[in-house]
Amino acid sequence: MEGLLNALPWAMGGLTLVLLLSVLRRPLAWLGRLAARTGVGL
């Protein structure tokens, strides 16, 4: 039982990270394309 309680913060952090990345996937992809285009232009 104590092992489960110790793992709970890690599980919540992982879930938060997955949700955050899924929300930011499209803006991050757009930013990556913009950076690549700017890098090629230089």
Side-chain angles (χ1 to χ4, degrees), residues 1-23:
M1 184 71 174
E2 189 169 324
L4 181 62
L5 290 176
N6 287 339
L8 191 58
W10 290 100
M12 291 304 294
L15 181 61
T16 303
L17 182 63
V18 166
L19 288 173
L20 186 66
L21 287 176
S22 67
V23 168

Side-chain angles (χ1 to χ4, degrees), residues 20-36:
L20 186 66
L21 287 176
S22 67
V23 168
L24 292 178
R25 183 180 47 167
R26 188 170 292 158
L28 288 176
W30 176 81
L31 192 61
R33 284 194 305 269
L34 180 66

